[in-house]
């Protein structure tokens, strides 16, 4: 068993979450636990999820349903789970997405071989019907400057070594909290290391906030200026790179 805690934020009762959990349970090397952190859903989602997963055969993998007192966004929900995690490695997966069966086995072996504090993989992009759209192969090494210009770490692929380096938490901003976390970790531990081959599957939803390019751009600009405290010139320079790289990545 891999000593991995899987962090899954949740809002509302969404059956898609079951497919994401199934992809974790289907790993060639089982994880230690799955922590589903409900972000104060108004429809009793946490209680329904407890009922669903209580009857599920999970082998030795523990599934825990956590709750936040008030709705604070996915970053806050993930932080609730990170604080409760018992595994050495912290991994992330959202309800829309899935892992390929060998992801954990191969990625943890990679981290142990390289000593990486933060690692990531490539991923396939599919539409809402599960049809292949494209795939993204990230560079094998990413610095802070690289990440300021393009978020090449898909949240569904990221794992960090909390046992060796301590726990890192996401800033509680509504969007771009994952990128902010990668910047924090890389700033303290040095470059992240990755495996370009796709070991996860990301569902690109046309109705999602991230698909609205203008809103996404606004959140990115706020990250530069309000979270990272960049001056206008530095923020503008990085924003141009972000826009160009984002177009190439998602076209």
């Amino acid at each position: 068993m891999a000593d991995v805690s899987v962090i899954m934020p949740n809002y509302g009762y969404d059956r898609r979450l079951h497919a994401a959990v199934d992809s974790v349970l289907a790993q060639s090397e089982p994880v230690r636990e799955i922590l589903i952190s409900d972000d104060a859903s108004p429809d009793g989602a946490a209680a329904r999820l407890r009922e669903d997963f209580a009857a599920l055969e999970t082998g030795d993998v523990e599934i825990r349903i956590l709750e936040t007192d008030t709705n604070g966004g996915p970053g806050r929900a993930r932080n609730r789970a990170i604080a409760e995690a018992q595994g050495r490695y912290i991994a992330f997966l959202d309800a829309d997405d899935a892992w390929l069966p060998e992801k954990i086995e191969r990625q943890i072996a990679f981290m142990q071989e390289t000593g990486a504090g933060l690692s990531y993989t490539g991923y396939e992009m599919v539409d809402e019907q599960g049809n292949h759209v494209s795939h993204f192969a990230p560079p094998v090494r990413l610095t802070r400057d690289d990440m300021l210009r393009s978020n090449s770490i898909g949240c569904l692929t990221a794992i960090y070594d909390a046992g060796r380096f301590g726990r890192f938490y996401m800033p509680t901003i509504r969007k771009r909290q994952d990128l902010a976390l990668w910047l924090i970790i890389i700033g303290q531990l040095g470059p992240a290391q990755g495996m370009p081959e796709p070991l996860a599957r990301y569902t690109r939803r046309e109705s999602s906030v991230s698909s609205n390019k203008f809103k996404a751009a606004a959140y990115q600009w706020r990250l530069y200026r309000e979270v990272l405290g960049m001056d206008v010139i530095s923020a503008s320079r990085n924003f141009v790179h972000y826009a160009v790289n984002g177009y190439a990545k998602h076209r």
Side-chain angles (χ1 to χ4, degrees):
M1 177 178 290
D3 194 10
V4 175
S5 295
V6 183
I7 308 302
M8 303 183 70
N10 179 74
Y11 184 76
Y13 185 76
D14 191 336
R15 294 291 301 181
R16 293 175 298 184
L17 180 68
H18 290 256
V21 170
D22 286 345
S23 77
V24 178
L25 297 177
Q27 290 297 296
S28 57
E29 185 169 343
V31 301
R32 176 173 183 166
E33 61 182 355
I34 302 170
L35 291 86
I36 301 171
S37 185
D38 185 73
D39 191 23
S41 295
D43 57 357
R48 296 179 67 183
L49 290 172
R50 285 192 181 93
E51 293 178 4
D52 287 353
F53 291 119
L56 183 66
E57 178 56 51
T58 64
D60 294 327
V61 180
E62 181 181 7
I63 298 179
R64 289 193 280 159
I65 311 298
L66 309 175
E67 298 179 69
T68 59
D69 295 331
T70 57
N71 180 263
R76 186 166 178 264
R78 292 188 184 106
N79 287 346
R80 171 82 168 84
I82 292 171
E84 296 281 339
Q86 297 177 1
R88 170 179 173 176
Y89 297 96
I90 304 296
F92 300 91
L93 183 64
D94 289 350
D96 287 359
D97 305 323
W99 289 345
L100 300 188
E102 294 184 354
K103 179 184 186 292
I104 289 297
E105 180 179 0
R106 294 185 59 190
Q107 193 168 356
I108 295 301
F110 172 80
M111 294 183 74
Q112 292 172 346
E113 291 168 4
T114 62
L118 171 64
S119 76
Y120 51 91
T121 77
Y123 55 91
E124 178 188 12
M125 284 184 270
V126 300
D127 63 19
E128 296 182 58
Q129 289 72 47
N131 301 311
H132 174 81
V133 174
S134 62
H135 72 274
F136 178 68
V140 297
R141 181 177 181 273
L142 289 167
T143 66
R144 187 175 186 274
D145 284 344
D146 294 330
M147 294 298 294
L148 286 173
R149 297 177 177 184
S150 177
N151 184 6
S152 295
I153 300 178
C155 191
L156 73 164
T157 77
I159 300 179
Y160 77 82
D161 188 344
R164 183 180 177 192
F165 299 105
R167 297 174 196 245
F168 294 89
Y169 295 91
M170 292 187 172
T172 54
I173 52 178
R174 283 285 177 172
K175 299 294 175 183
R176 294 295 190 267
Q177 67 280 144
D178 56 338
L179 173 55
L181 177 59
W182 316 148
L183 289 167
I184 291 170
I185 296 176
I186 292 171
Q188 293 193 33
L189 305 184
Q193 300 182 61
M195 306 169 66
E197 55 264 46
L199 294 177
R201 186 172 292 117
Y202 170 78
T203 301
R204 190 168 72 178
R205 299 188 180 280
E206 295 305 321
S207 60
S208 69
V209 172
S210 61
S211 70
N212 186 315
K213 302 301 186 294
F214 292 106
K215 286 185 178 180
Y219 283 120
Q220 188 73 17
W221 179 256
R222 290 178 63 187
L223 173 67
Y224 293 143
R225 296 283 287 143
E226 299 174 17
V227 179
L228 301 178
M230 287 185 175
D231 60 61
V232 173
I233 294 175
S234 297
S236 299
R237 184 183 301 114
N238 283 292
F239 186 83
V240 170
H241 286 285
Y242 157 79
V244 172
N245 291 329
Y247 174 78
K249 180 179 176 182
H250 294 291
R251 64 179 176 176

